Amino acid sequence: MMSAREKRDHVPLPGDGCGLELEYPARLVEPSAWLAHVPFAMWLVGALKPRMIVELGVHTGNSYCAFLQAAQTLGLDTRCFGVDHWYGDEHAGHYGDEIYQEFRAYHDRRYGTFSTLLRSSFEEALPYFSDGSVDLLHIDGFHTAEAVSADFKSWFPKVSSRGVALFHDSNVRERGFGIWQFWEELSSRYPHFEFLHSHGLGVVYLGTEPLTGPLKALFATKTDAENERVRGYFARLGTSVAERRAGLTLAANVDATKGRVAELERELAAVRAELARTNTDTDALKAELEAKIQAVQSDAAREQAQAEAVRAMLDQTKRQLADLNAQLSNAGALTDGLEAKLHAAQGEVARANSNAAALKKNLEEKLHAAQDEVARAYSSADAFKKDLEEKLHAAQGEAARAHSSADAVKNELEAKLRAATLQLQIQASLVRQRIGVAARLQQELLVAKSDKCSYELRLQEILQSTTWRYTGPFRRAVILLRRLLPPNPLF
């Protein structure tokens, strides 16, 4: 319910009676920069009733869950998609996978029936949306002017004819944020409204359908006083949300502090108990040390008595030592004789050691000579073996070359034999052909001779059968005929 002040300052926007901006958001987590715009986000869903919502840059989900809660509360048939790679950037900070895993568990349990999280870049998600299908587009990615301009240009075809777009941080002018530059250019071309609190939020109408209802009232040209009343209304609601979050955080911190204090008190009690046990142990140790001191003092007295007894024994020992010295002086002569014998024995041992050393050296020299002889024998044997191997390799190479030469000669003889055989076969064939030709020529010659004989006989008969008066002219005709006829080549 609105307080009296909120009712007094509320700017009546037509058709906004759903009151969703007064609903308390179910998710309020860090970072808190978007929390102050949650009431307007819920109001906008109630006023627009979008068929599809797409948010580019979800992070921990404060803004996206505001859209989802409003759609779920109103029972809208709305499809929602949150697009983010959940790696972070220079403006939002870089973070690990735990942010995505925590939000995914919260989201799927509450809104998984109509909302989908797409873990990808904004460009990779474009093919999954049809042109003109998105009614509410929230662009909250990397905040440089170039990045937000590129995101808007690539996603603008996806916006429907009644589409609305949101741009957070439109009132930030530091750390490389450039949305304010893009917003100045965009707001000059489309109906818009800008909130200045909580880093700023730009709202722009990109559709082509005529505006109606509360949206028309929001984007209509208003006086500065009316704009400030709208901004103030939603700023107060947003501030209450942020303060509620801060209060919850403070309460959680207080609870955590109380728990820590209780834990420290328990640790202090344990230390005190340990100190009490230590004091008890100290008293017992003190008594034990005093008992040990007394025992040491008793031991010192006994040791002093023992020392007196030892001094007496030492005096007696000195006297005995004097007696031994006297006896030692008497044994000096005997010792000198023994020392002379010892020196003689040591000289004999030295001579024996010298002879043994010479013998050892002689044996070592002979051993070395024998080893050198064996080495030379092995070397000669290796050289002889190597020479034999080389001769064997040379013989094998010569045999291989002889075998190769024999194969070459054999191949050459076989080739010549095949050539001679072929030549003989060809000559025999030619002889047979010539014999046949000669036989045919002989046969033809016989036939020609027979024909000549017949011809001459006939000619003779003709000459003999003619009368005398015709013999001269006929003979001249025959002679002329023979001259005119070509000669017979067979004769």
Side-chain angles (χ1 to χ4, degrees):
M1 297 297 292
M2 287 191 296
S3 63
R5 179 179 178 182
E6 289 171 340
K7 290 180 179 179
R8 182 181 69 250
D9 295 338
H10 176 58
V11 177
L13 299 176
D16 67 345
C18 62
L20 275 179
E21 71 274 16
L22 303 178
E23 290 283 334
Y24 186 74
R27 182 171 177 84
L28 298 174
V29 295
E30 292 295 332
S32 59
W34 224 95
L35 292 179
H37 297 295
V38 166
F40 174 76
M42 300 179 73
W43 176 91
L44 181 60
V45 172
L48 181 61
K49 295 180 175 55
R51 295 159 298 185
M52 181 179 292
I53 300 174
V54 174
E55 179 169 278
L56 306 179
V58 180
H59 198 183
T60 57
N62 282 327
S63 57
Y64 189 58
C65 285
F67 300 139
L68 299 180
Q69 181 179 345
Q72 188 180 66
T73 300
L74 294 175
L76 300 178
D77 186 16
T78 304
R79 294 295 308 280
C80 302
F81 296 90
V83 182
D84 202 324
H85 50 53
W86 277 279
Y87 299 146
D89 54 43
E90 295 178 8
H91 292 156
H94 296 280
Y95 43 84
D97 194 60
E98 67 279 357
I99 297 294
Y100 171 75
Q101 297 298 339
E102 185 277 331
F103 179 62
R104 182 62 180 266
Y106 176 88
H107 167 273
D108 291 353
R109 185 174 61 254
R110 287 174 173 262
Y111 308 115
T113 57
F114 65 95
S115 173
T116 302
L117 300 181
L118 297 179
R119 192 168 192 182
S120 71
S121 66
F122 301 163
E123 292 78 12
E124 292 171 344
L126 278 170
Y128 301 114
F129 297 90
S130 303
D131 290 350
S133 62
V134 181
D135 291 335
L136 178 56
L137 177 65
H138 178 208
I139 299 179
D140 196 12
F142 194 41
H143 284 18
T144 63
E146 295 79 8
V148 70
S149 177
D151 293 339
F152 176 78
K153 180 182 293 186
S154 60
W155 279 87
F156 179 76
K158 309 299 179 181
V159 178
S160 71
S161 59
R162 52 192 296 266
V164 174
L166 301 179
F167 299 88
H168 189 225
D169 293 320
S170 62
N171 198 28
V172 178
R173 307 193 180 205
E174 60 181 5
R175 293 187 297 126
F177 282 60
I179 293 181
W180 63 273
Q181 295 171 293
F182 176 74
W183 175 252
E184 286 182 353
E185 188 272 332
L186 186 67
S187 60
S188 65
R189 294 187 287 126
Y190 297 98
H192 64 279
F193 190 87
E194 183 182 11
F195 295 100
L196 304 179
H197 67 283
S198 190
H199 308 291
L201 180 68
V203 189
V204 61
Y205 182 67
L206 304 176
T208 57
E209 297 181 8
L211 288 166
T212 60
L215 292 178
K216 181 178 181 180
L218 176 67
F219 291 113
T221 302
K222 298 181 286 294
T223 63
D224 292 342
E226 290 173 338
N227 288 334
E228 288 304 320
R229 290 184 64 186
V230 173
R231 290 169 177 161
Y233 174 69
F234 284 106
R236 285 191 296 274
L237 292 178
T239 300
S240 68
V241 172
E243 290 176 350
R244 178 69 178 272
R245 168 61 185 168
L248 292 177
T249 303
L250 180 61
N253 292 336
V254 170
D255 292 339
T257 303
K258 288 181 179 179
R260 181 57 180 164
V261 169
E263 182 179 356
L264 291 175
E265 289 178 349
R266 289 192 296 271
E267 292 179 358
L268 180 60
V271 170
R272 287 174 177 172
E274 184 66 24
L275 181 61
R277 287 193 298 272
T278 302
N279 291 334
T280 303
D281 294 340
T282 302
D283 294 338
L285 181 60
K286 182 178 179 181
E288 183 180 356
L289 288 175
E290 290 178 352
K292 288 183 177 181
I293 290 172
Q294 293 177 358
V296 169
Q297 290 175 349
S298 300
D299 293 339
R302 286 194 297 272
E303 289 177 357
Q304 188 175 4
Q306 291 176 357
E308 294 296 334
V310 168
R311 286 196 199 95
M313 293 176 62
L314 182 60
D315 292 339
Q316 184 179 0
T317 301
K318 287 181 179 179
R319 289 190 296 270
Q320 293 176 355
L321 181 60
D323 294 339
L324 290 174
N325 288 329
Q327 294 177 4
L328 183 61
S329 61
N330 293 330
L334 180 61
T335 301
D336 292 338
L338 292 174
E339 287 180 351
K341 292 181 179 179
L342 178 61
H343 290 161
Q346 288 176 347
E348 189 67 25
V349 170
R351 285 191 295 275
N353 288 336
S354 176
N355 293 333
L359 180 60
K360 179 182 178 182
K361 182 177 180 181
N362 188 19
L363 290 174
E364 287 178 349
E365 290 176 352
K366 290 182 178 180
L367 177 61
H368 291 160
Q371 289 175 345
D372 292 340
E373 187 66 26
V374 171
R376 286 192 295 274
Y378 274 117
S379 177
S380 298
D382 290 339
F384 183 68
K385 179 183 177 182
K386 184 176 181 181
D387 184 50
L388 288 178
E389 289 177 348
E390 290 177 353
K391 290 181 179 179
L392 177 60
H393 292 161
Q396 289 176 346
E398 188 66 27
R401 288 190 295 275
H403 184 70
S404 177
S405 299
D407 289 340
V409 171
K410 180 182 176 182
N411 293 334
E412 183 179 1
L413 290 176
E414 289 178 351
K416 289 182 178 180
L417 180 60
R418 286 194 297 271
T421 303
L422 180 61
Q423 186 175 4
L424 289 175
Q425 291 175 353
I426 293 172
Q427 290 177 356
S429 177
L430 291 174
V431 168
R432 284 194 297 269
Q433 290 178 1
R434 289 176 180 176
I435 291 172
V437 171
R440 288 194 301 272
L441 290 175
Q442 188 176 7
Q443 185 68 30
E444 291 178 358
L445 180 59
L446 292 176
V447 173
K449 286 182 178 182
S450 177
D451 291 340
K452 180 180 180 183
C453 291
S454 299
Y455 172 75
E456 290 179 350
L457 289 175
R458 180 61 179 163
L459 182 59
Q460 190 68 29
E461 290 175 358
I462 294 172
L463 291 175
Q464 291 177 359
S465 63
T466 55
T467 59
W468 176 250
R469 62 176 174 267
Y470 293 109
T471 301
F474 183 76
R475 284 182 178 177
R476 287 191 296 272
V478 169
I479 292 171
L480 181 61
L481 180 62
R482 284 181 176 177
R483 290 177 179 176
L484 294 177
L485 291 175
N488 192 339
L490 297 178
F491 304 100

